[in-house]
Amino acid sequence: LTSSPKRSGLYVIHIAAEMAPVAKVGGLGDVITGLSKALQRRGHLVEIVLPKYDCMEYSRIKDLRLLDVVLESYFDGRLFKNKIWVGTVEGLPVYFIEPHHPDKFFWRAQYYGEHDDFKRFSYFSRAALELLLRAGKRPDIIHCHDWQTAFIAPLYWDLYYPKGLNSARICFTCHNFEYQGTAPASDLASCGLDVDQLNRQDRLQDNSSHERVNPVKGAVVFSNVVTTVSPTYAQEVRRAEGGHGLHSTLNFHSKKFFGILNGIDTDVWNPTTDSFIKVQYNANDLQGKAVNKDAIRRHLGLSSNVKKPLVGCITRLVPQKGIHLIRYAIYRTLELGGQFILLGSSPVPHIQREFEEIANHFQSHDQIRLVLAYDESLSHWIYAGSDMLIIPSIFEPCGLTQMIAMRYGSIPIVRKTGGLNDSVFDIDDETIPTELQNGYTFLTADEQGLNNALERAFSHYLNNPASWQQLVQKVMNVDFSWETSAAQYEELYSKSVARARAVAAGR
Ligand code: ADP
């Protein structure tokens, strides 16, 4: 196994279920890559451990090779062999674990949504720590993410610290508290955790069922640092209405719980270099944006060469995203004389069917197009071509699409919740300093709220084009890079490491 060189910065290992662009489902994948790259630029040694999925984008991994070792890891009372691969993704060293388990955990042609996800990811969490132990790694920080790798926190302290993997502090980031991965308590035993010890109210026991364990709760309890992805969301989840059952746990552990707004990867999302779009452009030369708008309209069969605002929406179609408001926005945009492009797909069959019906209804319409797919390259093109991007989320831990939209000069229209509240500031709100104003927001999650913001945006676009252009230029220059957020993570990591050292020195 590759060794870990000595250096002055921190040594951080992320263990996660996603990493863009090789294995991305949503924002988590973007965060792993964006944060890691920013930490690396700041002089830290960063490595990532991922499952070796069959459905990854293998073409985006450089120098992928099989290590000449067999890693044995425990599960369900016996040892299983794992192959270990290493490769480089976006300049970052990544380990891929390929389990040789008869259930073929990561050979399912999809990342999540399998009946045995709890098993698959508790297996992976254990194997990842086994890898670090066997490789003799001495990280300062092990950073795990979401319920899929939340098992790391109790596994580390209960099993691996005593075995000698004892250099690290554990940081856990929850990217969305809706997904907690709860399961019958007995399932926890498979990865070697002690069910009797852990199925307790102050440990992993789910707050609404004594018979179930909750990995996210466990990571909150057992990690040294717990973060979520925006300051507003960190407040929201500490209240009963927003905490998805974990508000009391988060309040109890509030001293170690922080909200840090995500950044975006400004290399990937860069209209001056983006090779997915028709013409590259920048804030001082918006001609290219107009070319992209016309090209995407022609590409999707919408009428072009008309002065109509183009509203985009790029999203997973799940209840969190405000399904009824997205549907309303499509019809209302048409009434207001705009054009609408939706790029989205749904893991929920009835939602997918509902949007298929709307897509069919507008199949050959010249103002509305729904593309019900996951399409990376089309997403770039829509950000570049649209004038506005609509995000009417019911809740939104951080949200990346509003930041990406602004980078491409598309004005966000968002519901004031979570990370949207920390990154989009209403143009008509006089209590907000002018220099911060960058979009349109609404508070109540109903049609009236959305309509108010949409109408104000349309009126601005149609009646005051010069001012609209200034706004476009302004939002394109907002700094949404990872630098600020990475500095905040660095501070949390450093303080946690320093605390541990102080305790050790005082012993
Ligand atoms: P979430 O993680 O809840 O899905 P975020 O706003 O944090 O939402 O991140 C969404 C990311 O996924 C963005 O990079 C967005 O461009 C991308 N995305 C969402 N839906 C699609 C789609 N249908 N096709 C391509 N990219 C998509």
Side-chain angles (χ1 to χ4, degrees):
L1 296 178
T2 32
S3 65
S4 331
K6 272 228 162 314
R7 49 191 294 132
S8 57
L10 292 169
Y11 179 15
V12 181
I13 300 182
H14 290 280
I15 303 176
E18 292 183 39
M19 179 185 188
V22 288
K24 170 173 159 175
V25 176
L28 168 64
D30 292 309
V31 172
I32 300 299
T33 309
L35 174 60
S36 298
K37 279 168 75 174
L39 288 169
Q40 196 184 52
R41 277 196 296 274
R42 299 176 73 84
H44 305 295
L45 175 64
V46 186
E47 294 173 341
I48 294 123
V49 185
L50 292 180
K52 186 170 179 289
Y53 301 101
D54 56 343
C55 52
M56 284 193 301
E57 292 276 335
Y58 280 91
S59 64
R60 311 290 283 269
I61 310 172
K62 266 177 69 182
D63 306 326
L64 182 64
R65 64 190 171 91
L66 182 62
L67 291 185
D68 188 18
V69 289
V70 172
L71 179 82
E72 291 199 320
S73 66
Y74 173 93
F75 205 67
D76 273 338
R78 52 173 284 209
L79 294 175
F80 291 93
K81 291 186 173 30
N82 299 272
K83 284 185 180 165
I84 307 298
W85 301 73
V86 283
T88 307
V89 176
E90 300 273 307
L92 293 158
V94 185
Y95 292 90
F96 299 94
I97 297 181
E98 181 187 345
H100 279 221
H101 188 283
D103 289 352
K104 295 190 173 307
F105 285 140
F106 302 111
W107 290 81
R108 307 289 182 83
Q110 65 173 355
Y111 299 108
Y112 311 129
E114 296 285 304
H115 71 282
D116 56 351
D117 276 359
F118 188 94
K119 243 177 136 176
R120 298 165 72 219
F121 289 104
S122 57
Y123 178 99
F124 168 66
S125 296
R126 171 108 200 210
L129 286 175
E130 193 69 36
L131 170 66
L132 305 193
L133 175 71
R134 296 291 159 207
K137 297 208 173 262
R138 307 288 297 160
D140 298 303
I141 297 288
I142 296 174
H143 194 153
C144 48
H145 298 264
D146 280 353
W147 78 261
Q148 290 87 356
T149 57
F151 305 97
I152 297 285
L155 280 170
Y156 179 81
W157 295 112
D158 282 1
L159 300 179
Y160 282 86
Y161 190 92
K163 285 181 200 232
L165 177 64
N166 56 10
S167 58
R169 304 256 93 195
I170 306 295
C171 180
F172 171 68
T173 297
C174 187
H175 299 254
N176 189 334
F177 280 95
E178 184 173 7
Y179 306 105
Q180 298 176 7
T182 62
S186 56
D187 289 6
L188 201 57
S190 297
C191 67
L193 287 170
D194 185 332
V195 179
D196 291 335
Q197 282 300 311
L198 295 175
N199 186 24
R200 287 173 30 175
Q201 205 278 325
D202 59 344
R203 298 189 180 165
L204 268 79
Q205 188 174 87
D206 190 55
N207 290 342
S208 55
S209 165
H210 290 179
E211 280 87 50
R212 293 180 77 79
V213 282
N214 183 326
V216 168
K217 178 176 168 184
V220 170
V221 173
F222 282 92
S223 297
N224 301 102
V225 178
V226 179
T227 71
T228 191
V229 290
S230 70
T232 297
Y233 189 59
Q235 293 301 318
E236 289 170 353
V237 291
R238 288 178 59 183
R239 293 196 286 267
E241 319 83 77
H244 303 277
L246 284 182
H247 58 285
S248 54
T249 309
L250 291 166
N251 278 317
F252 188 80
H253 293 280
S254 64
K255 281 210 181 69
K256 63 176 177 187
F257 180 49
F258 305 89
I260 300 179
L261 192 69
N262 288 333
I264 55 171
D265 189 330
T266 47
D267 300 332
V268 173
W269 302 108
N270 185 351
T272 66
T273 56
D274 194 325
S275 54
F276 287 121
I277 63 181
K278 265 271 158 321
V279 180
Q280 284 131 21
Y281 61 100
N282 61 62
N284 299 320
D285 174 17
L286 289 174
Q287 196 48 41
K289 184 162 175 67
V291 175
N292 282 300
K293 177 175 174 178
D294 237 42
I296 186 79
R297 295 199 289 191
R298 259 183 280 120
H299 177 68
L300 293 177
L302 300 186
S303 66
S304 54
N305 295 318
V306 286
K307 180 145 180 55
K308 281 175 176 284
L310 177 60
V311 183
C313 182
I314 299 174
T315 187
R316 291 183 300 124
L317 291 166
V318 290
Q320 172 200 336
K321 303 292 179 180
I323 294 297
H324 65 294
L325 294 176
I326 293 173
R327 188 183 50 216
Y328 172 74
I330 297 171
Y331 290 95
R332 186 66 188 138
T333 296
L334 187 60
E335 282 170 9
L336 291 172
Q339 297 181 313
F340 200 102
I341 299 175
L342 173 105
L343 174 63
S345 59
S346 185
V348 187
H350 77 92
I351 299 179
Q352 180 73 12
R353 271 199 306 277
E354 177 188 339
F355 277 81
E356 274 165 9
E357 276 169 29
I358 305 174
N360 289 339
H361 177 73
F362 288 114
Q363 203 169 25
S364 43
H365 199 280
D366 61 356
Q367 313 297 343
I368 308 284
R369 190 66 67 244
L370 276 68
V371 182
L372 300 183
Y374 183 91
D375 188 331
E376 186 81 26
S377 67
L378 191 60
S379 77
H380 286 246
W381 208 1
I382 297 172
Y383 286 118
S386 58
D387 298 298
M388 305 164 194
L389 198 92
I390 196 141
I391 314 165
S393 303
I394 306 304
F395 72 94
E396 192 59 77
C398 176
L400 299 175
T401 59
Q402 77 280 16
M403 302 188 216
I404 302 170
M406 285 190 255
R407 184 120 168 103
Y408 285 78
S410 176
I411 305 302
I413 303 173
V414 311
R415 182 158 173 265
K416 250 167 112 55
T417 178
L420 297 168
N421 183 54
D422 295 321
S423 54
V424 183
F425 307 103
D426 200 289
I427 282 151
D428 297 322
D429 184 343
E430 281 157 13
T431 65
I432 293 170
T434 324
E435 63 274 18
L436 290 182
Q437 296 172 348
N438 58 7
Y440 290 91
T441 66
F442 61 99
L443 191 57
T444 44
D446 59 16
E447 296 181 353
Q448 212 182 348
L450 184 146
N451 183 47
N452 178 281
L454 191 64
E455 279 188 5
R456 287 187 293 121
F458 268 54
S459 155
H460 188 173
Y461 177 92
L462 293 168
N463 301 331
N464 207 340
S467 149
W468 183 269
Q469 181 171 325
Q470 280 170 7
L471 176 63
V472 169
Q473 289 172 321
K474 177 173 149 185
V475 302
M476 286 182 75
N477 287 320
V478 178
D479 179 10
F480 286 118
S481 72
W482 266 100
E483 294 315 310
T484 318
S485 319
Q488 289 173 276
Y489 276 103
E490 180 184 288
E491 195 187 335
L492 289 181
Y493 293 162
S494 301
K495 279 189 175 157
S496 184
V497 168
R499 264 197 306 277
R501 291 197 180 137
V503 171
R507 258 195 220 123

